[in-house]
Amino acid sequence: MRIREYGTLKMKPSGAGGVHPYHELLYIAAGEAALEWMDRSYKLAAPCLALIPADTPHWVTPRTPELAGWYLEVDLQTDAFLEYDIVLNWNQRQTRDDSRHWPRTLSVGIDAVSSVVEAYESGDLRAAAAHRLLELDIRRLLLLVQQIVSGGAGAPAPGDEPTLASDSKLYAALRHMERSYANPIAIEELAALCHLTPSYVIRLFKRTFGATPIQYLQELRLKAAISYLDTTDMPIQEIASATGFANLHYFSRLFKQKLGLSPSAWRKRQREPQPGSPPES
């Protein structure tokens, strides 16, 4: 497991979000917020825990000035996140007042994360210890959510990858692309955020992440588009626009080049019954 970032909520009135290759857990302890996730909208009132799978477009907007809570961004690496249907069911539950009477075990797990995040930010807990504790708490929370929704079992396996340093020269550019992937982004804009020259940003980014900034941005956009294709009925033209592609032709050409199928063929294949699956009633 690799935890990239975590902390208490400090949102601007305009909100925060985007798309990034990390699963996110968002806990609201006080106040209200609006969550736009894929093509769905949720009103989140404290206390609630929202789950946002990796590579899915999302945006959180505060609805009250006293919004408080925490967020975690995590890569489970070789282990799968909760199934989409479980995440969808869980997030829908967070909008209903009568469904947030959690088992004590879940409340204890959430309180444990809150304590670790607060201790780390206050300097009472070192990063290495905080990461280890959060890894355990994340596994516990995901397992409990799975059991509450479906009665299933199983938890992510352990891991020990370090988090990406928040003070990395490239971190501001990385987060900007993840947050604003749907908008035009120029390399000069990223260079200004990093206080580096454009050519050096490209070299450093490729050496660090194995891809140029533009390649990374294209990957974010394509993964967001796949999420829309797989889980919504949005027209392909709207998906192209929502994920930052200048026009449908370019989107379709790049999609087929990278994935071997056109967007429409991809959607059709994903919705075909899989071999061995029970027929629909």
Side-chain angles (χ1 to χ4, degrees), residues 212-225:
T212 67
I214 297 305
Q215 290 169 338
Y216 182 79
L217 181 60
Q218 285 180 342
E219 187 73 10
L220 289 176
R221 288 170 170 167
L222 285 173
K223 287 181 176 178

Side-chain angles (χ1 to χ4, degrees), residues 26-273:
L26 173 69
Y27 174 61
I28 295 178
E32 293 184 5
L35 169 63
E36 300 291 330
W37 174 53
M38 304 294 293
D39 61 339
R40 295 173 172 81
S41 300
Y42 301 94
K43 176 185 175 182
L44 303 178
C48 69
L49 176 69
L51 305 177
I52 304 170
D55 303 314
T56 58
H58 61 280
W59 195 265
V60 181
T61 306
R63 292 303 185 207
T64 54
E66 73 278 10
L67 188 68
W70 49 257
Y71 69 97
L72 287 163
E73 294 177 1
V74 60
D75 178 6
L76 298 179
Q77 298 187 318
T78 58
D79 299 289
F81 195 59
L82 296 176
E83 293 181 2
Y84 177 78
D85 287 346
I86 292 178
V87 174
L88 180 60
N89 183 300
W90 177 260
N91 285 344
Q92 288 173 335
R93 288 171 179 239
Q94 304 312 293
T95 66
R96 303 199 304 268
D97 293 336
D98 62 347
S99 66
R100 291 199 300 273
H101 300 293
W102 296 325
R104 176 167 171 73
T105 48
L106 184 62
S107 297
V108 169
I110 288 174
D111 289 343
V113 173
S114 301
S115 298
V116 172
V117 172
E118 291 170 7
Y120 172 72
E121 290 193 340
S122 67
D124 293 335
L125 196 61
R126 296 188 179 212
H131 297 164
R132 289 293 189 181
L133 290 170
L134 288 173
E135 287 174 7
L136 297 172
D137 291 330
I138 290 168
R139 294 188 188 97
R140 174 164 57 176
L141 289 178
L142 293 178
L143 175 58
L144 289 170
V145 166
Q146 185 179 34
Q147 290 179 327
I148 290 169
V149 172
S150 64
D160 57 359
E161 290 294 326
T163 183
L164 177 66
S166 295
D167 60 351
S168 165
K169 286 188 172 92
L170 298 176
Y171 192 70
L174 193 76
R175 295 298 278 176
H176 180 65
M177 284 190 286
E178 293 172 356
R179 182 173 59 251
S180 305
Y181 70 96
N183 301 323
I185 298 176
I187 187 62
E188 292 77 12
E189 183 179 353
L190 301 177
L193 288 170
C194 300
H195 305 289
L196 300 169
T197 64
S199 60
Y200 186 63
V201 166
I202 294 172
R203 293 198 305 272
L204 185 60
F205 201 97
K206 187 167 186 177
R207 187 166 72 238
T208 304
F209 299 110
T212 67
I214 297 305
Q215 290 169 338
Y216 182 79
L217 181 60
Q218 285 180 342
E219 187 73 10
L220 289 176
R221 288 170 170 167
L222 285 173
K223 287 181 176 178
I226 288 171
S227 295
Y228 281 125
L229 288 168
D230 289 354
T231 62
T232 78
D233 294 319
M234 282 177 62
I236 292 174
Q237 174 74 60
E238 289 185 18
I239 292 175
S241 177
T243 52
F245 290 96
N247 57 69
L248 179 59
H249 175 71
Y250 177 66
F251 167 59
S252 299
R253 181 167 59 85
L254 183 64
F255 194 98
K256 188 169 185 178
Q257 176 186 331
K258 297 292 186 180
L259 298 164
L261 292 171
S262 68
S264 58
W266 176 277
R267 172 177 272 172
K268 181 179 179 181
R269 189 184 71 173
Q270 295 303 108
R271 300 190 178 189
E272 290 175 348

